[in-house]
Amino acid sequence: DCSSVDFSGVTDIFNTEASFVALNKDHGRAVCWGHRTYGGDCSSVDFGGVTDIFSSQDAFVALKKDLGQAVCWGWPVAGGDCSGVDFSGVTDIFSTWDAFVALKKDLGQAVCWGGMDLDSDCSGVDFSGVTDIFSTKAAFVALKRDLGQAACWGNADAGGDCSSVDFSGVTDIFNTQTAFVAVKKDLGQAVCWGDSDSGGDCSTSAVEEHLDSSSAPSPDIALSSGSMSKTLSRAGFVVTAALSVSPAVCRT
């Protein structure tokens, strides 16, 4: 119920799974509502100088980019406690369901915090040259587009292991909850990893297997070859595949 919320001057609204925050950026104010534990209570937060707000599933972080500061609230194990984090030089913040990574792109550095899973620990990751970061619900991939390289961390079953992936020529990365697809647009190719049942395998054989075995199709995924088209189940990417030609190409 937001009937008592004053929305005058609101410039942006953000959400977790169970709460909202309405930001009045020009006046350094905000109001929160929803589940108090998961971000619905920001009565003690100072929003002066806030430039951006980011969220995990159950926590918020308000970044004061010009000041090199930030404040977090919500469920602590989902990133709601960032009291020990140095935000100086942070350019962007990204999240999984329960962890954040604050990228200092100009410095080639980053800092992670949040839950107890592997996605909250990026201490062994080299962030030099990172141009973009993408995430599933429990893993991150930091892309170095200009170098044709990337680094992954988090739950391997959700895309946290990309040690066998060739990122040369990758132009974009997309995700489901537990899988990634890296698209090499100029080459007409792609590579997938993560949970194979959620789009982590886009090899020709996997695509053919799904096409042959899909008895209860999902409206989200389609395979097509010429005039033939069939929808796949249990996957999160739109896949275009010529069944007699290799390789398959994945796209959103």
Side-chain angles (χ1 to χ4, degrees):
D1 184 0
C2 60
S3 58
S4 62
V5 177
D6 178 11
F7 288 95
S8 58
V10 167
T11 53
D12 300 281
I13 295 179
F14 308 89
N15 67 283
T16 62
E17 185 180 49
S19 63
F20 291 98
V21 54
L23 176 65
N24 184 333
K25 190 182 294 185
D26 299 331
H27 292 87
R29 298 197 301 262
V31 60
C32 298
W33 70 100
H35 198 296
R36 294 175 61 87
T37 302
Y38 304 132
D41 180 7
C42 58
S43 56
S44 63
V45 177
D46 175 13
F47 289 93
V50 168
T51 53
D52 298 283
I53 293 178
F54 306 89
S55 65
S56 64
Q57 191 173 36
D58 297 316
F60 292 105
V61 53
L63 178 63
K64 306 178 182 186
K65 188 180 293 184
D66 299 333
L67 300 174
Q69 302 173 6
V71 60
C72 301
W73 71 101
W75 198 29
V77 296
D81 180 5
C82 57
S83 54
V85 178
D86 176 14
F87 288 94
S88 58
V90 167
T91 52
D92 297 285
I93 295 178
F94 308 88
S95 66
T96 58
W97 281 12
D98 65 354
F100 291 99
V101 54
L103 177 64
K104 306 178 182 186
K105 187 180 293 185
D106 299 334
L107 301 174
Q109 301 173 4
V111 60
C112 298
W113 73 99
M116 297 176 286
D117 208 345
L118 298 172
D119 51 346
S120 62
D121 182 8
C122 58
S123 56
V125 179
D126 176 13
F127 289 93
S128 58
V130 168
T131 52
D132 298 283
I133 294 179
F134 307 89
S135 65
T136 62
K137 71 175 185 179
F140 292 101
V141 53
L143 177 64
K144 305 179 183 185
R145 184 180 286 120
D146 300 334
L147 300 174
Q149 302 172 4
C152 299
W153 69 101
N155 190 321
D157 292 333
D161 180 5
C162 58
S163 55
S164 63
V165 178
D166 176 12
F167 288 94
S168 58
V170 168
T171 52
D172 296 286
I173 295 179
F174 305 91
N175 67 281
T176 60
Q177 286 189 6
T178 53
F180 291 106
V181 55
V183 179
K184 306 179 182 186
K185 191 179 296 183
D186 298 334
L187 301 174
Q189 301 173 1
V191 61
C192 304
W193 71 102
D195 181 7
S196 60
D197 285 336
S198 296
D201 186 352
C202 56
S203 62
T204 302
S205 58
V207 170
E208 290 176 348
E209 180 182 354
H210 276 295
L211 182 63
D212 292 337
S213 63
S214 179
S215 58
S218 161
D220 296 330
I221 303 301
L223 283 186
S224 62
S225 177
S227 60
M228 182 185 70
S229 179
K230 185 171 182 180
T231 303
L232 296 181
S233 64
R234 295 189 306 160
F237 301 111
V238 174
V239 181
T240 302
L243 297 185
S244 60
V245 180
S246 179
V249 176
C250 301
R251 60 180 173 83
T252 57

